[in-house]
Amino acid sequence: EECQQMEALGGESMTMAYVTGGSTSRGRRTLSKNLNPDLSNSSSILTKLTLRFFEVARLVTGFELYPEGQEPVNWLFYKPGYEYRPHCDGGCGQWQVARGGRVASSLLYCAVADEGGGTVFPKDGIKFEPSVGDFLVFAYNSDPNSFSYHSACPVVR
């Protein structure tokens, strides 16, 4: 039910994912839309999920993290042939995260591919093959071996 509500919010006016500077990249082949929660609206599904994401991030990282002042929820949708090539969201290869830097990433899987897809952590040799409703969180403090380096596998169908 939560995913259906999120799909309704995220499904309109999606554009190709872009890199810093506003251009698109072959390495980021996905549709994307930033969703900004209205934290004063406690009945909003986006607000409820954002608060839950931050609760988990606090538990995983040990940092006092709260939604105010943070980046928006980035809603992604992968069509067949789309993928997100290996990359770091935060401080891969660093002993500690710089003040103000991203300390964790969280992925809520509201839809999954019938074939292909999944999230791979090549330095660990781990492939996470999600089911609808799965929630994956990984942190960057500390990550001197770049274990958080990851990619979204190409969707076949």
Side-chain angles (χ1 to χ4, degrees), residues 103-141:
V103 298
S105 290
S106 58
L107 305 172
L108 172 62
Y109 297 87
C110 285
V112 297
D114 292 326
E115 186 178 345
T119 303
V120 173
F121 296 86
K123 301 237 177 182
D124 271 342
I126 294 172
K127 180 177 184 185
F128 181 71
E129 298 188 49
S131 298
V132 171
D134 283 351
F135 183 62
L136 175 65
V137 177
F138 48 97
Y140 304 106
N141 197 30

Side-chain angles (χ1 to χ4, degrees), residues 51-100:
L51 293 173
R52 195 176 317 151
F53 294 165
F54 276 87
E55 181 180 344
V56 172
R58 284 191 297 276
L59 292 171
V60 169
T61 66
F63 290 123
E64 288 297 316
L65 304 169
Y66 297 92
E68 295 81 3
Q70 302 294 332
E71 57 191 278
V73 172
N74 188 14
W75 182 259
L76 302 175
F77 180 76
Y78 293 88
K79 292 181 177 183
Y82 282 14
E83 66 180 317
Y84 219 125
R85 293 191 178 158
H87 64 284
C88 289
D89 294 336
C92 292
Q94 298 176 6
W95 282 98
Q96 68 182 46
V97 176
R99 183 169 178 81

Side-chain angles (χ1 to χ4, degrees), residues 33-53:
K33 181 178 181 181
N34 285 334
L35 302 174
N36 293 290
D38 175 359
L39 299 174
S40 67
N41 182 356
S42 61
S43 65
S44 160
I45 188 63
L46 180 57
T47 298
K48 288 177 184 179
L49 287 175
T50 298
L51 293 173
R52 195 176 317 151
F53 294 165

